[in-house]
Amino acid sequence: MAQISATEQKGMQQIDLTTLNIQQLSTLKQQLDQELNLFQDSLASLKIAQSKFQNSGETLERVTPESEGKDILVPLTGSMYVPGKLHDTDKVIIDVGTRYYVEKDIETAKDYFQRKIKFVTEQMEKVQYLGLEKSKIRDAIVEIVEMKLTQQQQQHQS
Amino acid sequence: MSDDIQKKLQTELDSFKNVQKELQKAIQTRQQLDGQLNENEIVKQELDLLPSDGKVYKSVGPVLIKTELVEAKQNVSKRIDYITKEIKRIDDVITSLEKKQDTHRGSAPEITGPVSAGPS
């Protein structure tokens, strides 16, 4: 019992991997595989978020005071549009999450997207680093399991 | 005798699987809450950056409704408190389920012990 619970505390305390038995090691490997999958998924979502922010930021470049009064088509539904005129082109409303929207002028809006892109990129770097570390540990576990298996075989033969 | 062992093992296995399922569900909830907490915290940061006369809207279905900044801030803080409490609760659930899982994992070999001890 005490031995098994030690596998749950990965990262919390130093454990010599060679002292664990094969069952514990495979549980640990399973956990790491799950975590690695999660990292892959997070990375993919982060990439999507990053490109969305980039897209919005680039769109802002085209919203200038000169676009005041220009004609646009406003989508009412996915397939129906009504004509309209651009108005108040120095302000935009941004979705900041959890259904809240905030009015910002163009400069602060640009700043907002820049910050978001930076934030997301930082998170991606963090996740990538963590993933690398975890896959290193995973490789080590695989190696030790193989070592133990050959050891066992030798013991059976002798 | 061996029927007895098999039966015991089966019930043991069933309850182990049940615990595993529950644990999976709890972990999923936990991840969801984590995501919500993060989102709310980001919104809070964003609201804090606004000038006091900043305009805030809340989307209700397809329309945006104007909200007072103070109110929005309060709302987000309240939600953060609630989610933090929920996370604590689900963490306790996860720990107890993990303990249960370990007990089950330990007791299965106890039942099969004499059988599986043979040479592989």
Side-chain angles (χ1 to χ4, degrees):
Chain A
M1 220 357 245
Q3 279 175 322
I4 289 172
S5 70
T7 58
E8 312 292 349
Q9 297 174 316
K10 52 193 162 31
M12 307 294 265
Q13 69 190 68
Q14 288 249 323
I15 304 167
D16 186 1
L17 286 175
T18 49
T19 60
L20 300 175
N21 66 34
I22 287 175
Q23 220 242 304
Q24 289 168 330
L25 283 169
S26 66
T27 318
L28 197 58
K29 181 178 167 287
Q30 242 172 31
Q31 278 179 358
L32 282 168
D33 278 340
Q34 271 172 11
E35 278 178 63
L36 280 170
N37 271 333
L38 195 74
F39 285 156
Q40 285 299 327
D41 289 349
S42 319
L43 219 53
S45 329
L46 281 169
K47 227 172 225 156
I48 293 172
Q50 197 189 32
S51 65
K52 273 189 186 167
F53 285 135
Q54 254 156 8
N55 216 328
S56 302
E58 279 162 23
T59 307
L60 273 179
E61 299 290 337
R62 309 211 187 163
V63 182
T64 55
E66 289 93 72
S67 29
E68 174 96 35
K70 277 191 180 161
D71 290 322
I72 49 159
L73 286 172
V74 186
L76 281 188
T77 67
S79 56
M80 189 166 68
Y81 296 80
V82 289
K85 284 205 190 307
L86 270 176
H87 176 62
D88 242 2
T89 46
D90 53 344
K91 281 190 194 116
V92 284
I93 293 174
I94 297 174
D95 181 357
V96 290
T98 68
R99 304 189 133 200
Y100 278 113
Y101 289 71
V102 164
E103 189 178 276
K104 282 180 185 292
D105 58 45
I106 301 292
E107 276 318 303
T108 40
K110 274 183 196 165
D111 174 62
Y112 169 84
F113 287 117
Q114 226 108 65
R115 267 190 293 125
K116 288 287 140 174
I117 293 168
K118 192 167 158 255
F119 175 74
V120 172
T121 315
E122 273 169 13
Q123 298 302 311
M124 282 169 84
E125 276 162 12
K126 263 189 222 164
V127 171
Q128 254 159 355
Y129 174 74
L130 277 174
L132 217 68
E133 289 290 294
K134 295 268 175 187
S135 64
K136 261 187 218 157
I137 300 172
R138 189 187 161 277
D139 289 347
I141 290 172
V142 173
E143 212 173 289
I144 290 166
V145 169
E146 271 167 18
M147 200 181 76
K148 292 225 169 190
L149 280 175
T150 41
Q151 247 173 23
Q152 253 179 10
Q153 259 172 357
Q154 278 166 354
Q155 269 168 6
H156 273 300
Q157 276 162 4
S158 60
Chain B
M1 183 59 197
S2 113
D3 267 3
D4 206 32
I5 289 177
Q6 200 141 38
K7 229 183 234 167
K8 256 193 197 164
L9 194 64
Q10 194 55 51
T11 43
E12 192 60 35
L13 198 69
D14 284 346
S15 52
F16 177 65
K17 273 187 184 157
N18 268 337
V19 172
Q20 230 169 8
K21 244 187 230 160
E22 274 178 62
L23 188 65
Q24 212 91 56
K25 232 165 70 186
I27 288 173
Q28 223 174 19
T29 322
R30 162 77 224 236
Q31 278 169 353
Q32 224 175 3
L33 285 170
D34 230 15
Q36 283 173 353
L37 183 68
N38 271 329
E39 195 182 353
N40 276 289
E41 246 150 30
I42 286 170
V43 174
K44 188 176 188 304
Q45 279 171 20
E46 218 40 65
L47 292 177
D48 284 342
L49 278 172
L50 282 180
S52 55
D53 61 341
K55 284 181 184 153
V56 184
Y57 302 85
K58 175 135 184 62
S59 100
V60 182
V63 287
L64 294 182
I65 292 173
K66 194 159 182 308
T67 321
E68 287 307 311
L69 180 60
V70 190
E71 204 182 310
K73 275 185 188 171
Q74 272 172 357
N75 232 324
V76 174
S77 299
K78 234 188 280 167
R79 240 184 298 177
I80 289 176
D81 281 350
Y82 172 74
I83 295 169
T84 320
K85 261 184 222 148
E86 276 298 290
I87 286 182
K88 242 183 224 149
R89 198 180 59 84
I90 211 89
D91 268 348
D92 287 344
V93 174
I94 289 175
T95 348
S96 76
L97 279 175
E98 268 176 352
K99 255 189 210 138
K100 240 193 206 166
Q101 197 187 32
D102 280 347
T103 341
H104 284 308
R105 195 177 287 155
S107 55
E110 259 167 47
I111 300 168
T112 49
V115 187
S116 62
S120 51

